[in-house]
Amino acid sequence: MSTKQFDVEWDDEEKPKETARALSRTEKKVTGELQKNREQETEQRIAAALESARPGLNKVPDPVEPAGDGDLTAEEQERFRLCNDGIDLGNKAWFIQGKALDTVATGRLFRTTVHRLEPDRCYATIEEWAEVEKGISVSQCSKLRAAWEIGEVLSARGYDAVPGQVREIVPVRTVYGLKAAVAVYVLVADTVGAEKVTAARLRETVKMLPGDLQLDEDDDPDVLAKTIKGVLLGEPPAPPVPALPVAVKRAVERRALDLANVLDRGRIPRSEVQLHLMEAFADENDPTVYEAVLARMKQAPKQ
């Protein structure tokens, strides 16, 4: 059986070389793209790992009562570990430290930790544990626990509030609630500029609040800030807005939680939800919300 030879003829002696160079360029291009893709994937994995390792308020467990008086459960041990990480953040995010301390205190997560200076017993109080283990004084521990929620909200709003400033509006929160305390800060920031807010200005504003001040704890901090400003300037109060029925409030809270879960976020301020509702209502390209409101108003009894 004969084997037939196939001879390849080139019109130009340079064509094989050009073809080889073209193939080489193609190989280099493919190799370069593969390398680039691998580098991008590596960078993405590194970024994901860093994000997972980065401490944050959402990684600190919420305060709950202890599971019992004995040894920590596996869940409590994990909560304790996360709180230790949060507390060690220190000055990087003082309100995270405050929340972590509050969570440790509320759940008595320190109760099985052997006292560093008295190894024959465990810690009895959060103040004792924080002072010995973390170097946080009793007064500082109490201040951080009282102020962390205010700091969290202010940070979410873009304010760089320091503990000394927030400390001045803690009494407002004690009497009128969290939103009112935030409202005082917002009022001062709007008046003098966010960069010029000081503890002294906040203190003086709090001193000016009348003893008979009436505030609706359900109002948004921006609304409360305007109310407080009107009171301080002696302006007549705006006509009262009809209060939401209790059933509606509960339904709104449930829907807000559902929204936060879908978006994988923490608590969503009512002002943010209202903004999106108003934008959707005014959207001329998508009348869905407008038509839904119109239909409900037609069915509602006339005022």
Side-chain angles (χ1 to χ4, degrees), residues 157-187:
R157 284 174 161 258
Y159 295 111
D160 295 324
V162 298
Q165 295 172 354
V166 176
R167 193 175 304 132
E168 300 298 336
I169 53 180
V170 167
V172 179
R173 184 225 170 143
T174 303
V175 177
Y176 299 105
L178 174 62
K179 293 179 180 179
V182 174
V184 171
Y185 193 100
V186 171
L187 172 59

PDB file of all heavy atoms in Angstrom, residues 157-187:
ATOM      1  N   ARG A 157     -26.383  58.253  58.595  1.00  0.00           N
ATOM      2  CA  ARG A 157     -26.794  59.489  57.940  1.00  0.00           C
ATOM      3  C   ARG A 157     -25.605  60.292  57.420  1.00  0.00           C
ATOM      4  O   ARG A 157     -25.787  61.376  56.867  1.00  0.00           O
ATOM      5  CB  ARG A 157     -27.598  60.354  58.922  1.00  0.00           C
ATOM      6  CG  ARG A 157     -29.017  59.841  59.129  1.00  0.00           C
ATOM      7  CD  ARG A 157     -29.735  60.626  60.223  1.00  0.00           C
ATOM      8  NE  ARG A 157     -31.176  60.432  60.102  1.00  0.00           N
ATOM      9  CZ  ARG A 157     -32.022  61.299  59.587  1.00  0.00           C
ATOM     10  NH1 ARG A 157     -31.570  62.460  59.135  1.00  0.00           N
ATOM     11  NH2 ARG A 157     -33.313  61.046  59.499  1.00  0.00           N
ATOM     12  N   GLY A 158     -24.402  59.789  57.626  1.00  0.00           N
ATOM     13  CA  GLY A 158     -23.221  60.458  57.088  1.00  0.00           C
ATOM     14  C   GLY A 158     -22.543  61.422  58.033  1.00  0.00           C
ATOM     15  O   GLY A 158     -21.636  62.161  57.621  1.00  0.00           O
ATOM     16  N   TYR A 159     -22.942  61.438  59.314  1.00  0.00           N
ATOM     17  CA  TYR A 159     -22.316  62.336  60.284  1.00  0.00           C
ATOM     18  C   TYR A 159     -21.160  61.632  60.985  1.00  0.00           C
ATOM     19  O   TYR A 159     -21.242  60.450  61.326  1.00  0.00           O
ATOM     20  CB  TYR A 159     -23.326  62.787  61.341  1.00  0.00           C
ATOM     21  CG  TYR A 159     -24.453  63.632  60.807  1.00  0.00           C
ATOM     22  CD1 TYR A 159     -25.755  63.136  60.759  1.00  0.00           C
ATOM     23  CD2 TYR A 159     -24.235  64.924  60.350  1.00  0.00           C
ATOM     24  CE1 TYR A 159     -26.804  63.906  60.271  1.00  0.00           C
ATOM     25  CE2 TYR A 159     -25.272  65.702  59.857  1.00  0.00           C
ATOM     26  CZ  TYR A 159     -26.554  65.186  59.821  1.00  0.00           C
ATOM     27  OH  TYR A 159     -27.583  65.947  59.331  1.00  0.00           O
ATOM     28  N   ASP A 160     -20.070  62.362  61.226  1.00  0.00           N
ATOM     29  CA  ASP A 160     -18.919  61.834  61.955  1.00  0.00           C
ATOM     30  C   ASP A 160     -18.994  62.284  63.402  1.00  0.00           C
ATOM     31  O   ASP A 160     -18.186  63.097  63.873  1.00  0.00           O
ATOM     32  CB  ASP A 160     -17.608  62.308  61.307  1.00  0.00           C
ATOM     33  CG  ASP A 160     -17.419  61.766  59.911  1.00  0.00           C
ATOM     34  OD1 ASP A 160     -17.822  60.608  59.673  1.00  0.00           O
ATOM     35  OD2 ASP A 160     -16.893  62.484  59.049  1.00  0.00           O
ATOM     36  N   ALA A 161     -19.970  61.753  64.110  1.00  0.00           N
ATOM     37  CA  ALA A 161     -20.168  62.140  65.504  1.00  0.00           C
ATOM     38  C   ALA A 161     -19.188  61.400  66.405  1.00  0.00           C
ATOM     39  O   ALA A 161     -18.963  60.200  66.242  1.00  0.00           O
ATOM     40  CB  ALA A 161     -21.601  61.825  65.930  1.00  0.00           C
ATOM     41  N   VAL A 162     -18.595  62.116  67.338  1.00  0.00           N
ATOM     42  CA  VAL A 162     -17.656  61.513  68.289  1.00  0.00           C
ATOM     43  C   VAL A 162     -18.375  61.285  69.607  1.00  0.00           C
ATOM     44  O   VAL A 162     -19.415  61.896  69.881  1.00  0.00           O
ATOM     45  CB  VAL A 162     -16.424  62.424  68.488  1.00  0.00           C
ATOM     46  CG1 VAL A 162     -15.667  62.593  67.187  1.00  0.00           C
ATOM     47  CG2 VAL A 162     -16.837  63.790  69.037  1.00  0.00           C
ATOM     48  N   PRO A 163     -17.856  60.403  70.459  1.00  0.00           N
ATOM     49  CA  PRO A 163     -18.533  60.085  71.716  1.00  0.00           C
ATOM     50  C   PRO A 163     -18.853  61.307  72.569  1.00  0.00           C
ATOM     51  O   PRO A 163     -19.921  61.377  73.172  1.00  0.00           O
ATOM     52  CB  PRO A 163     -17.531  59.164  72.429  1.00  0.00           C
ATOM     53  CG  PRO A 163     -16.759  58.532  71.319  1.00  0.00           C
ATOM     54  CD  PRO A 163     -16.642  59.575  70.254  1.00  0.00           C
ATOM     55  N   GLY A 164     -17.932  62.278  72.619  1.00  0.00           N
ATOM     56  CA  GLY A 164     -18.174  63.471  73.434  1.00  0.00           C
ATOM     57  C   GLY A 164     -19.393  64.256  72.975  1.00  0.00           C
ATOM     58  O   GLY A 164     -20.100  64.848  73.791  1.00  0.00           O
ATOM     59  N   GLN A 165     -19.649  64.284  71.679  1.00  0.00           N
ATOM     60  CA  GLN A 165     -20.826  64.973  71.151  1.00  0.00           C
ATOM     61  C   GLN A 165     -22.094  64.194  71.477  1.00  0.00           C
ATOM     62  O   GLN A 165     -23.079  64.752  71.972  1.00  0.00           O
ATOM     63  CB  GLN A 165     -20.693  65.149  69.640  1.00  0.00           C
ATOM     64  CG  GLN A 165     -19.546  66.056  69.214  1.00  0.00           C
ATOM     65  CD  GLN A 165     -19.348  66.034  67.709  1.00  0.00           C
ATOM     66  OE1 GLN A 165     -19.981  65.268  66.996  1.00  0.00           O
ATOM     67  NE2 GLN A 165     -18.456  66.884  67.220  1.00  0.00           N
ATOM     68  N   VAL A 166     -22.060  62.903  71.201  1.00  0.00           N
ATOM     69  CA  VAL A 166     -23.248  62.074  71.403  1.00  0.00           C
ATOM     70  C   VAL A 166     -23.642  62.030  72.876  1.00  0.00           C
ATOM     71  O   VAL A 166     -24.821  61.968  73.221  1.00  0.00           O
ATOM     72  CB  VAL A 166     -23.003  60.661  70.855  1.00  0.00           C
ATOM     73  CG1 VAL A 166     -24.193  59.748  71.149  1.00  0.00           C
ATOM     74  CG2 VAL A 166     -22.760  60.710  69.354  1.00  0.00           C
ATOM     75  N   ARG A 167     -22.638  62.098  73.740  1.00  0.00           N
ATOM     76  CA  ARG A 167     -22.914  62.066  75.176  1.00  0.00           C
ATOM     77  C   ARG A 167     -23.860  63.193  75.595  1.00  0.00           C
ATOM     78  O   ARG A 167     -24.656  63.040  76.518  1.00  0.00           O
ATOM     79  CB  ARG A 167     -21.583  62.183  75.937  1.00  0.00           C
ATOM     80  CG  ARG A 167     -21.659  61.872  77.413  1.00  0.00           C
ATOM     81  CD  ARG A 167     -20.266  61.902  78.017  1.00  0.00           C
ATOM     82  NE  ARG A 167     -19.372  60.991  77.313  1.00  0.00           N
ATOM     83  CZ  ARG A 167     -18.155  61.312  76.898  1.00  0.00           C
ATOM     84  NH1 ARG A 167     -17.685  62.528  77.098  1.00  0.00           N
ATOM     85  NH2 ARG A 167     -17.407  60.426  76.281  1.00  0.00           N
ATOM     86  N   GLU A 168     -23.790  64.325  74.909  1.00  0.00           N
ATOM     87  CA  GLU A 168     -24.619  65.478  75.273  1.00  0.00           C
ATOM     88  C   GLU A 168     -26.086  65.297  74.902  1.00  0.00           C
ATOM     89  O   GLU A 168     -26.954  65.990  75.449  1.00  0.00           O
ATOM     90  CB  GLU A 168     -24.077  66.739  74.588  1.00  0.00           C
ATOM     91  CG  GLU A 168     -22.644  67.089  74.949  1.00  0.00           C
ATOM     92  CD  GLU A 168     -22.476  67.387  76.438  1.00  0.00           C
ATOM     93  OE1 GLU A 168     -23.492  67.764  77.087  1.00  0.00           O
ATOM     94  OE2 GLU A 168     -21.345  67.254  76.945  1.00  0.00           O
ATOM     95  N   ILE A 169     -26.371  64.383  73.971  1.00  0.00           N
ATOM     96  CA  ILE A 169     -27.776  64.206  73.568  1.00  0.00           C
ATOM     97  C   ILE A 169     -28.370  62.893  74.075  1.00  0.00           C
ATOM     98  O   ILE A 169     -29.522  62.577  73.786  1.00  0.00           O
ATOM     99  CB  ILE A 169     -27.928  64.282  72.034  1.00  0.00           C
ATOM    100  CG1 ILE A 169     -26.979  63.320  71.328  1.00  0.00           C
ATOM    101  CG2 ILE A 169     -27.712  65.705  71.549  1.00  0.00           C
ATOM    102  CD1 ILE A 169     -27.090  63.352  69.810  1.00  0.00           C
ATOM    103  N   VAL A 170     -27.594  62.145  74.864  1.00  0.00           N
ATOM    104  CA  VAL A 170     -28.135  60.934  75.486  1.00  0.00           C
ATOM    105  C   VAL A 170     -29.331  61.258  76.386  1.00  0.00           C
ATOM    106  O   VAL A 170     -30.331  60.527  76.388  1.00  0.00           O
ATOM    107  CB  VAL A 170     -27.041  60.176  76.261  1.00  0.00           C
ATOM    108  CG1 VAL A 170     -27.651  59.104  77.158  1.00  0.00           C
ATOM    109  CG2 VAL A 170     -26.047  59.545  75.293  1.00  0.00           C
ATOM    110  N   PRO A 171     -29.291  62.367  77.175  1.00  0.00           N
ATOM    111  CA  PRO A 171     -30.469  62.694  77.996  1.00  0.00           C
ATOM    112  C   PRO A 171     -31.737  62.907  77.166  1.00  0.00           C
ATOM    113  O   PRO A 171     -32.844  62.602  77.634  1.00  0.00           O
ATOM    114  CB  PRO A 171     -30.041  63.988  78.705  1.00  0.00           C
ATOM    115  CG  PRO A 171     -28.549  63.926  78.744  1.00  0.00           C
ATOM    116  CD  PRO A 171     -28.158  63.273  77.459  1.00  0.00           C
ATOM    117  N   VAL A 172     -31.595  63.428  75.942  1.00  0.00           N
ATOM    118  CA  VAL A 172     -32.755  63.615  75.073  1.00  0.00           C
ATOM    119  C   VAL A 172     -33.324  62.258  74.688  1.00  0.00           C
ATOM    120  O   VAL A 172     -34.542  62.055  74.666  1.00  0.00           O
ATOM    121  CB  VAL A 172     -32.373  64.411  73.810  1.00  0.00           C
ATOM    122  CG1 VAL A 172     -33.581  64.589  72.899  1.00  0.00           C
ATOM    123  CG2 VAL A 172     -31.792  65.766  74.184  1.00  0.00           C
ATOM    124  N   ARG A 173     -32.453  61.342  74.407  1.00  0.00           N
ATOM    125  CA  ARG A 173     -32.928  59.994  74.079  1.00  0.00           C
ATOM    126  C   ARG A 173     -33.651  59.361  75.273  1.00  0.00           C
ATOM    127  O   ARG A 173     -34.647  58.666  75.115  1.00  0.00           O
ATOM    128  CB  ARG A 173     -31.739  59.129  73.681  1.00  0.00           C
ATOM    129  CG  ARG A 173     -32.166  57.740  73.231  1.00  0.00           C
ATOM    130  CD  ARG A 173     -31.298  56.670  73.833  1.00  0.00           C
ATOM    131  NE  ARG A 173     -31.889  55.360  73.575  1.00  0.00           N
ATOM    132  CZ  ARG A 173     -31.204  54.287  73.319  1.00  0.00           C
ATOM    133  NH1 ARG A 173     -29.909  54.354  73.258  1.00  0.00           N
ATOM    134  NH2 ARG A 173     -31.800  53.135  73.154  1.00  0.00           N
ATOM    135  N   THR A 174     -33.125  59.588  76.474  1.00  0.00           N
ATOM    136  CA  THR A 174     -33.734  59.019  77.676  1.00  0.00           C
ATOM    137  C   THR A 174     -35.172  59.502  77.856  1.00  0.00           C
ATOM    138  O   THR A 174     -36.054  58.725  78.236  1.00  0.00           O
ATOM    139  CB  THR A 174     -32.900  59.384  78.913  1.00  0.00           C
ATOM    140  OG1 THR A 174     -31.554  58.917  78.739  1.00  0.00           O
ATOM    141  CG2 THR A 174     -33.485  58.767  80.168  1.00  0.00           C
ATOM    142  N   VAL A 175     -35.407  60.785  77.552  1.00  0.00           N
ATOM    143  CA  VAL A 175     -36.732  61.366  77.778  1.00  0.00           C
ATOM    144  C   VAL A 175     -37.651  61.214  76.570  1.00  0.00           C
ATOM    145  O   VAL A 175     -38.824  60.849  76.698  1.00  0.00           O
ATOM    146  CB  VAL A 175     -36.601  62.864  78.139  1.00  0.00           C
ATOM    147  CG1 VAL A 175     -37.973  63.500  78.316  1.00  0.00           C
ATOM    148  CG2 VAL A 175     -35.773  63.023  79.410  1.00  0.00           C
ATOM    149  N   TYR A 176     -37.107  61.467  75.375  1.00  0.00           N
ATOM    150  CA  TYR A 176     -37.949  61.551  74.179  1.00  0.00           C
ATOM    151  C   TYR A 176     -37.723  60.428  73.166  1.00  0.00           C
ATOM    152  O   TYR A 176     -38.494  60.312  72.217  1.00  0.00           O
ATOM    153  CB  TYR A 176     -37.716  62.890  73.472  1.00  0.00           C
ATOM    154  CG  TYR A 176     -38.070  64.082  74.325  1.00  0.00           C
ATOM    155  CD1 TYR A 176     -37.077  64.860  74.909  1.00  0.00           C
ATOM    156  CD2 TYR A 176     -39.401  64.433  74.551  1.00  0.00           C
ATOM    157  CE1 TYR A 176     -37.393  65.956  75.690  1.00  0.00           C
ATOM    158  CE2 TYR A 176     -39.728  65.527  75.334  1.00  0.00           C
ATOM    159  CZ  TYR A 176     -38.718  66.286  75.906  1.00  0.00           C
ATOM    160  OH  TYR A 176     -39.047  67.367  76.673  1.00  0.00           O
ATOM    161  N   GLY A 177     -36.677  59.644  73.340  1.00  0.00           N
ATOM    162  CA  GLY A 177     -36.435  58.554  72.420  1.00  0.00           C
ATOM    163  C   GLY A 177     -35.266  58.798  71.480  1.00  0.00           C
ATOM    164  O   GLY A 177     -34.729  59.907  71.379  1.00  0.00           O
ATOM    165  N   LEU A 178     -34.886  57.748  70.787  1.00  0.00           N
ATOM    166  CA  LEU A 178     -33.719  57.772  69.898  1.00  0.00           C
ATOM    167  C   LEU A 178     -33.861  58.804  68.788  1.00  0.00           C
ATOM    168  O   LEU A 178     -32.934  59.559  68.497  1.00  0.00           O
ATOM    169  CB  LEU A 178     -33.521  56.377  69.291  1.00  0.00           C
ATOM    170  CG  LEU A 178     -32.433  56.225  68.223  1.00  0.00           C
ATOM    171  CD1 LEU A 178     -31.057  56.541  68.801  1.00  0.00           C
ATOM    172  CD2 LEU A 178     -32.457  54.811  67.656  1.00  0.00           C
ATOM    173  N   LYS A 179     -35.017  58.853  68.139  1.00  0.00           N
ATOM    174  CA  LYS A 179     -35.194  59.756  67.002  1.00  0.00           C
ATOM    175  C   LYS A 179     -35.078  61.220  67.424  1.00  0.00           C
ATOM    176  O   LYS A 179     -34.558  62.050  66.685  1.00  0.00           O
ATOM    177  CB  LYS A 179     -36.550  59.502  66.346  1.00  0.00           C
ATOM    178  CG  LYS A 179     -36.655  58.138  65.688  1.00  0.00           C
ATOM    179  CD  LYS A 179     -38.032  57.930  65.076  1.00  0.00           C
ATOM    180  CE  LYS A 179     -38.149  56.565  64.422  1.00  0.00           C
ATOM    181  NZ  LYS A 179     -39.490  56.323  63.847  1.00  0.00           N
ATOM    182  N   ALA A 180     -35.556  61.538  68.621  1.00  0.00           N
ATOM    183  CA  ALA A 180     -35.466  62.913  69.106  1.00  0.00           C
ATOM    184  C   ALA A 180     -34.012  63.308  69.360  1.00  0.00           C
ATOM    185  O   ALA A 180     -33.606  64.439  69.071  1.00  0.00           O
ATOM    186  CB  ALA A 180     -36.290  63.074  70.382  1.00  0.00           C
ATOM    187  N   ALA A 181     -33.222  62.380  69.900  1.00  0.00           N
ATOM    188  CA  ALA A 181     -31.805  62.671  70.135  1.00  0.00           C
ATOM    189  C   ALA A 181     -31.096  62.933  68.810  1.00  0.00           C
ATOM    190  O   ALA A 181     -30.308  63.881  68.684  1.00  0.00           O
ATOM    191  CB  ALA A 181     -31.151  61.506  70.875  1.00  0.00           C
ATOM    192  N   VAL A 182     -31.378  62.092  67.813  1.00  0.00           N
ATOM    193  CA  VAL A 182     -30.794  62.303  66.492  1.00  0.00           C
ATOM    194  C   VAL A 182     -31.254  63.637  65.917  1.00  0.00           C
ATOM    195  O   VAL A 182     -30.490  64.357  65.271  1.00  0.00           O
ATOM    196  CB  VAL A 182     -31.185  61.146  65.545  1.00  0.00           C
ATOM    197  CG1 VAL A 182     -30.709  61.426  64.117  1.00  0.00           C
ATOM    198  CG2 VAL A 182     -30.590  59.834  66.050  1.00  0.00           C
ATOM    199  N   ALA A 183     -32.526  63.995  66.177  1.00  0.00           N
ATOM    200  CA  ALA A 183     -33.087  65.246  65.652  1.00  0.00           C
ATOM    201  C   ALA A 183     -32.331  66.458  66.188  1.00  0.00           C
ATOM    202  O   ALA A 183     -32.121  67.436  65.458  1.00  0.00           O
ATOM    203  CB  ALA A 183     -34.566  65.350  66.012  1.00  0.00           C
ATOM    204  N   VAL A 184     -31.931  66.423  67.449  1.00  0.00           N
ATOM    205  CA  VAL A 184     -31.175  67.546  68.022  1.00  0.00           C
ATOM    206  C   VAL A 184     -29.841  67.702  67.294  1.00  0.00           C
ATOM    207  O   VAL A 184     -29.424  68.822  66.972  1.00  0.00           O
ATOM    208  CB  VAL A 184     -30.958  67.343  69.533  1.00  0.00           C
ATOM    209  CG1 VAL A 184     -29.995  68.394  70.083  1.00  0.00           C
ATOM    210  CG2 VAL A 184     -32.281  67.397  70.278  1.00  0.00           C
ATOM    211  N   TYR A 185     -29.183  66.595  67.030  1.00  0.00           N
ATOM    212  CA  TYR A 185     -27.916  66.656  66.291  1.00  0.00           C
ATOM    213  C   TYR A 185     -28.147  67.207  64.891  1.00  0.00           C
ATOM    214  O   TYR A 185     -27.390  68.061  64.406  1.00  0.00           O
ATOM    215  CB  TYR A 185     -27.280  65.269  66.223  1.00  0.00           C
ATOM    216  CG  TYR A 185     -25.836  65.277  65.765  1.00  0.00           C
ATOM    217  CD1 TYR A 185     -24.804  65.177  66.688  1.00  0.00           C
ATOM    218  CD2 TYR A 185     -25.506  65.395  64.412  1.00  0.00           C
ATOM    219  CE1 TYR A 185     -23.475  65.185  66.288  1.00  0.00           C
ATOM    220  CE2 TYR A 185     -24.179  65.416  64.003  1.00  0.00           C
ATOM    221  CZ  TYR A 185     -23.173  65.311  64.940  1.00  0.00           C
ATOM    222  OH  TYR A 185     -21.865  65.345  64.525  1.00  0.00           O
ATOM    223  N   VAL A 186     -29.189  66.712  64.217  1.00  0.00           N
ATOM    224  CA  VAL A 186     -29.517  67.175  62.867  1.00  0.00           C
ATOM    225  C   VAL A 186     -29.805  68.670  62.871  1.00  0.00           C
ATOM    226  O   VAL A 186     -29.364  69.407  61.972  1.00  0.00           O
ATOM    227  CB  VAL A 186     -30.716  66.390  62.303  1.00  0.00           C
ATOM    228  CG1 VAL A 186     -31.215  67.005  60.993  1.00  0.00           C
ATOM    229  CG2 VAL A 186     -30.342  64.931  62.080  1.00  0.00           C
ATOM    230  N   LEU A 187     -30.528  69.136  63.873  1.00  0.00           N
ATOM    231  CA  LEU A 187     -30.858  70.553  63.970  1.00  0.00           C
ATOM    232  C   LEU A 187     -29.594  71.410  64.072  1.00  0.00           C
ATOM    233  O   LEU A 187     -29.448  72.416  63.356  1.00  0.00           O
ATOM    234  CB  LEU A 187     -31.751  70.798  65.193  1.00  0.00           C
ATOM    235  CG  LEU A 187     -32.038  72.259  65.550  1.00  0.00           C
ATOM    236  CD1 LEU A 187     -32.716  72.987  64.403  1.00  0.00           C
ATOM    237  CD2 LEU A 187     -32.879  72.335  66.825  1.00  0.00           C
TER     238      LEU A 187
END
